[in-house]
Amino acid sequence: MDVVAQLIDAIGEQNVVTGAQVTEHFNGILDPTPMCARAIVFPRSTDDVSAVMKICYEWSQPVVIQGGKSGGVQGHVSKPDEIAMDLKKMSAIEEIDTVGRTATVQAGCILETLQDAAVDKGLMFPLDLGGRGSCTIGGNIATNAGGERVIRYGMMREQVLGLEVVLADGTILSSMNSVIKNNTGYDLKHLFIGSEGTLGVVTRAVVRLRQNMPSSNVALVAMDSFDQVLAVLQQADTGLAGQLTAYELMSQNWYELNSRHLGVSPMENGGNYYVVIETQGSESEHDLEKLEKVLMPLYEQGLIVDAVLAKSQKEVEQIWGIRESVEAATSMDSPYFIYDVSVPMKHMEAYLGNVESGIHENFPRGQCYCVGHVGDGNLHFLVLPFAAGDKAELHKQVNNQVYQPLAEFAGSISAEHGVGIEKKAYLPISRNETELQLMKTLKKTLDPKNILGRGRIFDY
Ligand SMILES: Cc1cc2nc3c(=O)[nH]c(=O)nc-3n(C[C@H](O)[C@H](O)[C@H](O)COP(=O)(O)OP(=O)(O)OC[C@H]3O[C@@H](n4cnc5c(N)ncnc54)[C@H](O)[C@@H]3O)c2cc1C
C-alpha cells in the first residue's frame, strides 16, 4: 500500500479526497483557484489526526494543515506533493463553562460560531476580525490572530488557556489547562501558538470567555495629522477608562474610496486621517455620554476636525463597512498586494511617509491605501501599482518599498498574519541570526523529518 492507500485504510474512504477531485476544492477565500495536493484528508477526531500523522511520519510525507483557508500569507496553500489536512469535520464546541468563563472547542470551529455561542450564554469571545465567518479557532491559534479588539483584550495568545496538539510523529500532547494561573514549568502551549502549522496540529483548545458587554458605541473621527491620531488615542484611552475597544485608522483615500463605493457619507468635514472609535460598557446612555464628553474637548482643542456618533445599528454598520470593506479596492484594474506590519508608534508617521513616497516614485499611477489597528501599532497597506509587468516581479518591488524601511524603524514584517510562504524571504529584517537558529532547533526537535508545513516561515 502507498501512503494514500494507508490513509484511506486508517480513516475511511469518505474522509479522503484524491485525484482530480482535489481540484474541486479551492485554495482559499482570498485565492479561489483550484487546489493541488496528493490528497486531502478530513479527520473527525484527535485519534484520526494522530493516525494520519503516524502514517505520514513513517513515509516522511509532507503535510499542510488547513483551517478556514483565510490566511494572509499562503501558509495554508498546499503543494502538489503534500497531503492537505482539512480540519472542518472537527468543529464542535464541546463545552461552555459559564462559571469559569471558558469554552472547550475543536480546532475546526469557525470563529463566528464560537462568538455567537458565547453570546447565547451571556458571555463573549473577544477575538474579532474581518474573516470571522471563515477562519477557525485552530487557524487563529496557529497564526496568533489579532484583529480589531486587541487594544482591549489582546491577541489570540491571550485568549488560550489550554491546548491539545498532535505532533509530527502522531504523539498526542494534551495540555487542556483551564485555569488562568498555572506556573508549573514551561508553558508549552506558547510554542504552538503562532507556529503556523509547523510544529504540531492543534486539535482542541480551552479558551477564555469574558462577560458580554450589553452596550457598544461607535464614533467616526476625522483628524489632520498623524500626531493628532496618536494624541487622540492617548486622551480617549484615559477618558474612556477601560471602555476603549477599537481604534481603527483609515487614510483619506481609503475613506473616500469606500464611502463612494458604499454610497454613504457619515461626515461633512473631512481630514487627512479617519479613525473608528468603538467602546463597550454596561450602560448604553451613560456610555454614550461618556464618549461625547471625551470627544467634545478634543474638538475644542483642535485635535479633531469633525466627529460623528453612530445613532443606530445601521449607522454602526455603515461606519464599520467603510473601514472593513475591501471590495472597491480589490476590484480595480490592477494587481493588488496586502500588507500587515507593526511599527513603534513614535516612528509610524515617518514610516508611513517613507512607504507612500517610495510607492509613488516607483509607480507614478500607483495607489497606496492605509488602514490599520493603529491602537496597537499595526498598519495594513493595500497597494495597487497600476503598472505593466509580471505580477510576481511587481509584488517583489512593492515588498521592498514596504519591508526594507522596517529595519530602520525597528518594525516587524508581520504584525498578525504570520510569515507563511509570502514573507519568508524578508524574515531576517525582523529576526536576528540567533533567534532564527533557535527557531530552527525547535523545529528540528519537534519535527525531525520536516514534514509539517514544510517551507513555511523558513527553510532549513
Ligand atoms: C477579510 C479578512 C480579514 C482578516 N482580518 C484579519 C485581522 O484583522 N487580523 C488577523 O490576525 N488576521 C486577519 N485575517 C487573516 C486570517 O483570517 C487569520 O490569519 C486567521 O487566523 C486564519 O485562520 P484560518 O482558520 O483561516 O487558517 P488557515 O488560513 O487555514 O491557515 C493559516 C495557517 O495556520 C495553519 N493552521 C490552520 N489550522 C491549524 C491547526 N488546527 N493547527 C495547526 N496549524 C493550523 C495553516 O497551516 C496555515 O499556516 C483576515 C482575513 C480575511 C480574509
Side-chain angles (χ1 to χ4, degrees), residues 150-164:
V150 172
I151 189 170
R152 181 156 175 189
Y153 298 104
M155 296 180 76
M156 190 61 182
R157 190 179 295 283
E158 278 79 37
Q159 321 309 328
V160 180
L161 294 174
L163 271 193
E164 180 184 84

Side-chain angles (χ1 to χ4, degrees), residues 29-30 64-77 85 87 107-109 127-132 134-148 155 192 195-198 200-203 323-324 326 340 373 378 380 415-418 420 453 456:
I29 59 169
L30 293 171
V64 63
I65 309 154
Q66 299 183 330
K69 300 195 277 187
S70 71
V73 288
Q74 293 173 31
H76 63 278
V77 178
M85 184 191 288
L87 293 176
C109 175
L127 190 88
D128 195 27
L129 45 103
R132 62 183 75 80
S134 317
C135 63
T136 62
I137 297 301
N140 298 152
I141 292 170
T143 58
N144 185 25
E148 285 149 2
M155 296 180 76
F192 300 96
S195 69
E196 300 183 50
T198 62
V201 187
V202 175
T203 46
R323 161 64 185 86
E324 283 188 343
V326 290
D340 156 52
H373 315 301
N378 183 184
H380 292 302
E416 53 181 19
H417 290 172
R456 277 78 174 177

